Amino acid sequence: MAHTGLVLPNSGHNRDAEANKFGMWLFLFTELLLFGGLFIVYMVYRMLNHEAFLLSSFELNVTMGTVNTVVLLVSSMTIAMAVSAIQMGQAKRSAMLLWITFALAGVFLVIKYFEWSAKIHHGLFPGLDYYNNLPAGERLFFFLYYIMTGLHALHIIIGMVIILFTIRQTNNGTLSPEKHSLTENAGLYWHLVDLIWIYLFPLFYLIH
């Protein structure tokens, strides 16, 4: 059977960048619903246990939290620059900026590791004796702290995997100024991760 050369719309021969972006926005919306629900739970319990939440927040390391905030803000800038670079056809520069974003994500996780380790070393973790003897309000604060920052850290790890895949596609020459939706979607995801931390940081570390 002779090949006619006919290419049907949306038959898989043409990538629909707009559909990809719409799918990513839809995914980000579900993520916002997830964290939005957790933020509401946090605010309700904080109103009911204001004094206990205030005392518990003093146990958190504001310096580490501040450094991590700066790290994520810088990483948002570098991934935005990576998107601009691939749009201008600068694939090597885009890959380099993605590597920097990846490294900054690693720095965030290392700082978070040391922060969690210090808390666990002092018994501030669900199930440990010191934690079990805390007043109910303080136990609730640290329970929410581990759930919400742990879930955020998981999103950081997922973001690092996405960034690595984007770097690979960039180096393979798969991405170009005409076809760069993967880099854009990686950037959108990373900005969401950054945005969530912007809310988590004051909620847990800067309570007044």
Side-chain angles (χ1 to χ4, degrees):
M1 180 177 176
H3 177 59
T4 61
L6 177 64
V7 178
L8 297 174
N10 299 320
S11 62
H13 296 271
N14 299 319
R15 288 185 179 276
D16 192 339
E18 291 302 318
N20 287 341
K21 193 176 291 186
F22 177 76
M24 175 53 74
W25 278 111
L26 200 59
F27 170 73
L28 297 181
F29 179 70
T30 62
E31 292 292 296
L32 284 175
L33 288 180
L34 170 64
F35 277 95
L38 289 172
F39 286 140
I40 291 172
V41 170
Y42 171 91
M43 293 307 296
V44 169
Y45 281 119
R46 177 175 164 178
M47 283 190 291
L48 295 174
N49 304 275
H50 184 268
E51 194 66 25
F53 273 43
L54 178 62
L55 289 173
S56 301
S57 70
F58 295 151
E59 299 290 338
L60 301 184
N61 191 316
V62 178
T63 302
M64 283 187 171
T66 302
V67 171
N68 261 348
T69 302
V70 173
V71 166
L72 277 191
L73 287 174
V74 174
S75 70
S76 261
M77 180 186 71
T78 55
I79 203 165
M81 292 170 68
V83 174
S84 297
I86 197 67
Q87 288 173 340
M88 292 186 290
Q90 300 171 346
K92 190 176 290 186
R93 178 182 170 83
S94 179
M96 182 192 69
L97 288 163
L98 288 170
W99 273 120
I100 294 173
T101 307
F102 182 86
L104 290 170
V107 170
F108 179 93
L109 288 179
V110 169
I111 292 174
K112 184 55 66 182
Y113 166 78
F114 282 111
E115 192 179 2
W116 273 38
S117 297
K119 300 288 172 296
I120 294 170
H121 179 72
H122 290 97
L124 288 171
F125 192 79
L128 299 179
D129 290 340
Y130 184 81
Y131 172 88
N132 290 336
N133 291 323
L134 289 173
E138 295 183 32
R139 289 202 307 270
L140 189 56
F141 174 88
F142 284 106
F143 179 77
L144 289 172
Y145 166 76
Y146 285 115
I147 289 291
M148 294 174 74
T149 59
L151 191 59
H152 178 260
L154 177 63
H155 280 71
I156 291 275
I157 294 170
I158 294 171
M160 292 174 77
V161 174
I162 294 172
I163 290 170
L164 271 183
F165 181 71
T166 307
I167 292 171
R168 180 186 173 191
Q169 296 301 94
T170 304
N171 289 335
N172 287 345
T174 307
L175 304 179
S176 66
E178 295 77 26
K179 194 172 64 179
H180 55 268
S181 60
L182 177 62
T183 315
E184 282 188 332
N185 287 338
L188 286 173
Y189 179 86
W190 197 252
H191 291 320
L192 174 74
V193 170
D194 186 16
L195 180 67
I196 291 169
W197 179 256
I198 294 299
Y199 281 95
L200 285 176
F201 176 59
L203 282 180
F204 283 102
Y205 294 78
L206 305 177
I207 295 178
H208 294 294

